Amino acid sequence: MNSKYDDFFQKANSKSNWFRDDISTTIIDFISYRDKFSQREFAKKNNVPRTTLQRWLNRINTIDADPDLIAFFESPAGINFLHLLIQALHFEFTKVGCASIHNICNFLEACRLSRFVGASYGTHQRISNQMDLMLTNFGDIEQTRLSKQMPKKRITLCEDETFHPQPCLVGIEPLSNFIVLEKYAEDRSGKTWNKAVTEGLANIPVQVLQSTSDEGKGLINHATRGLKGHHSPDLFHLLYEISKGTSVALAGAVRNAEKNYEKCEKATRDATKNRAAYENLEKRPVGRRPDFESKMAFAHAKKQDAGISLKNARANQENATKAKREISN
């Protein structure tokens, strides 16, 4: 058994004073020499309490599984395999993937490996917590090692705050997707951001040229004064500012054009009705006949102009919407 795996599971399961591979080796030795030594003699010779040896033997005898499986999984090679399997399950499914500790426990129960390895939530929570610490330590060690080999770079830093429920400051370099900062803080002021980013970039040879974030005052202050760089709004706030500056004006232009078109359309209908009403009079008034045709032509021309204005207003609104969609793309 590799000692690093022993240490990992010993820390994760602090209740046990014995490593599983040591137990299996001791049991195999006892089975090999039980014709020569009694339990008491063997236990004394190997510095194992007799009751402990009896408990180990009783556990194996009560496992409800195929004898070949018992022989393998209770051997040092089998235990090593189980340790590697548990580590792989936790790393791939709960650290890289989005499964939960409950999924790990259910998996072990479903494939009946729970007969050979602990499947309780508490056991695997301890393993998961220990793996979190090891991953964090590994990240710190690797960052220190690799930063010494890294050439100087100028970067953009994407920053934001999350709340669950305490503010968590997050900073990511977008090209590499490297998480520069992920830290809980008491507040999200510019001063707090400056301190957190300085600590996150310690010993990393980079210069932050710009920060992309929302329009929070603390973040803007941090970018322009703390980093002495350029602040770029994130996509949501960029689109929000564009929409705020254009949507109301464009929508108002469409409404005004619609009202004007309706007014011109009504004037055209009225001019047509007036001529029809005059023509249907039984007794027409004295004097020259009104020039209904000229009025109708004038109203129709205004209606056409109003229609063109409405079409242009709607086109402007649609073009702005398409342009914002292109920015998103």
Side-chain angles (χ1 to χ4, degrees), residues 175-192:
L175 288 179
S176 63
N177 207 30
F178 179 72
I179 300 176
V180 173
L181 170 67
E182 191 174 25
K183 182 179 180 180
Y184 286 109
E186 293 297 326
D187 57 60
R188 48 198 179 116
S189 65
K191 183 179 179 180
T192 301

Side-chain angles (χ1 to χ4, degrees), residues 4-246:
K4 67 179 181 180
Y5 299 139
D6 286 343
D7 293 342
F8 179 84
F9 283 96
Q10 180 70 1
K11 291 176 182 177
N13 189 3
S14 58
K15 292 183 179 180
S16 174
N17 294 321
W18 297 88
F19 291 120
R20 282 284 301 275
D21 64 326
D22 292 335
I23 295 173
S24 67
T25 301
T26 302
I27 292 174
I28 291 172
D29 289 345
F30 172 74
I31 293 174
S32 300
Y33 293 103
R34 62 183 170 185
D35 293 336
K36 297 181 180 180
F37 300 101
S38 66
Q39 283 188 5
R40 188 183 303 276
E41 291 172 333
F42 181 85
K44 184 177 181 180
K45 182 178 178 62
N46 290 274
N47 296 318
V48 178
R50 185 188 176 192
T51 55
T52 300
L53 177 62
Q54 289 176 329
R55 187 174 71 251
W56 293 346
L57 293 170
N58 290 336
R59 188 188 69 82
I60 292 179
N61 293 331
T62 58
I63 296 176
D64 180 19
D66 185 282
D68 291 337
L69 286 177
I70 296 174
F72 173 68
F73 285 124
E74 291 300 318
S75 69
I79 291 169
N80 187 33
F81 170 77
L82 287 174
H83 284 181
L84 289 172
L85 176 66
I86 296 301
Q87 288 188 89
L89 287 173
H90 276 274
F91 183 75
E92 288 297 330
F93 295 158
T94 68
K95 308 307 177 187
V96 178
C98 57
S100 69
I101 294 175
H102 286 294
N103 295 132
I104 301 292
C105 299
N106 293 339
F107 171 83
L108 295 174
E109 292 284 354
C111 64
R112 300 185 180 181
L113 285 175
S114 56
R115 300 173 182 183
F116 304 100
V117 67
S120 68
Y121 184 88
T123 295
H124 288 275
Q125 185 179 43
R126 288 192 293 272
I127 293 173
S128 181
N129 292 341
Q130 183 64 25
M131 184 172 285
D132 286 338
L133 291 175
M134 294 177 73
L135 289 171
T136 301
N137 292 337
F138 175 77
D140 294 340
I141 293 170
E142 283 297 281
Q143 179 169 322
T144 301
R145 181 180 70 86
L146 294 174
S147 63
K148 295 178 181 178
Q149 308 171 18
M150 176 182 172
K152 292 184 178 181
K153 290 184 177 181
R154 295 182 295 178
I155 66 170
T156 292
L157 198 59
C158 298
E159 299 172 315
D160 200 2
E161 302 118 351
T162 59
F163 303 89
H164 31 81
Q166 186 178 353
C168 182
L169 310 184
V170 181
I172 298 177
E173 197 283 315
L175 288 179
S176 63
N177 207 30
F178 179 72
I179 300 176
V180 173
L181 170 67
E182 191 174 25
K183 182 179 180 180
Y184 286 109
E186 293 297 326
D187 57 60
R188 48 198 179 116
S189 65
K191 183 179 179 180
T192 301
W193 266 104
N194 292 339
K195 181 180 178 182
V197 171
T198 299
E199 293 174 356
L201 293 175
N203 302 320
I204 302 179
V206 298
Q207 177 189 1
V208 181
L209 290 183
Q210 70 168 343
S211 167
T212 298
S213 69
D214 60 33
E215 297 291 287
K217 293 181 179 179
L219 279 166
I220 294 177
N221 179 279
H222 155 66
T224 56
R225 297 187 180 182
L227 297 176
K228 300 188 184 305
H230 175 70
H231 175 265
S232 297
D234 60 22
L235 180 60
F236 170 81
H237 286 81
L238 176 64
L239 294 177
Y240 174 76
E241 293 297 330
I242 292 174
S243 296
K244 187 169 68 172
T246 60

Side-chain angles (χ1 to χ4, degrees), residues 265-279:
E265 194 174 41
K266 182 178 181 300
T268 301
R269 290 196 303 269
D270 290 344
T272 303
K273 288 180 181 179
N274 290 339
R275 187 183 70 171
Y278 183 86
E279 296 294 342

